[in-house]
Amino acid sequence: MPSFLMNPRLLFLAAVFSASLIVPSNSSFADEAILRAGDKIRLQIKGVPDEEKNELDGDYTISEDGTIPLPYISDPRAAGAKPSLLAQAIAKAYQEAEIYTNPTIVINFGDERVVRQVTLTGGMKRNGPVEYRDGLTLIQAISSAGGPSDFAKLKDVCLIRGGKSYSYNVEELLRKPRMDPALLPDDSIIIPESGRKL
């Protein structure tokens, strides 16, 4: 094997470059975001008497179980839905419950841009937050942070999620990219470095 392929950093860069050739374009980023637990949305209802709007209009935070609390109907599941589809589902639920005849629900998300992030610490060229996007993987996040440092221990990468830690051998993932784990917002990635303690 050529000596340059034995260098994990060069191997990392080569793998990221080759993967970038087959990654689909980011044109879909202009589409509606997929809602997730913890997101804040603003809901407005139209087509109902003004005095009843106050019961629904307002800001809602999607709960950990993925729902939002609404009066008169079962809490609709918001996580995993696009805002426009959630609005249609809520309007339909009120119609089927015979509470409102022809309501129109408007959901605003991202008037103040919500930035989801993952945090990288340790053996990266740049430590700190990296903006999360749907489908972001561990290797892509490391690449977004400038790639591993010269002293990074890629065999002992730690992913912390929801208070639990998971260990990954990134050198192995580079050889088996299908095993590269997808990240979630608020994940933390720690890459130890030789001669340093974190």
Side-chain angles (χ1 to χ4, degrees), residues 5-77:
L5 290 179
M6 299 298 289
N7 184 318
R9 281 137 206 84
L10 292 177
L11 181 61
F12 180 90
L13 294 173
V16 170
F17 175 75
S18 62
S20 69
L21 298 179
I22 57 173
V23 171
S25 70
N26 293 343
S27 60
S28 62
F29 290 171
D31 296 341
E32 286 185 280
I34 301 295
L35 297 171
R36 298 183 184 278
D39 284 346
K40 292 178 173 58
I41 61 174
R42 175 162 294 175
L43 186 148
Q44 294 177 295
I45 186 167
K46 300 179 180 180
V48 301
D50 287 342
E51 61 272 15
E52 295 182 18
K53 288 184 177 182
N54 292 334
E55 295 186 55
L56 283 177
D57 285 2
D59 296 330
Y60 295 83
T61 299
I62 301 174
S63 66
E64 288 186 8
D65 68 3
T67 63
I68 54 174
L70 293 178
Y72 313 126
I73 61 173
S74 298
D75 294 348
R77 180 159 188 79

Side-chain angles (χ1 to χ4, degrees), residues 153-170:
K153 295 169 67 176
L154 295 176
K155 293 182 179 180
D156 300 308
V157 175
C158 179
L159 168 63
I160 299 174
R161 174 182 296 161
K164 296 181 179 180
S165 62
Y166 307 87
S167 182
Y168 290 96
N169 181 340
V170 172

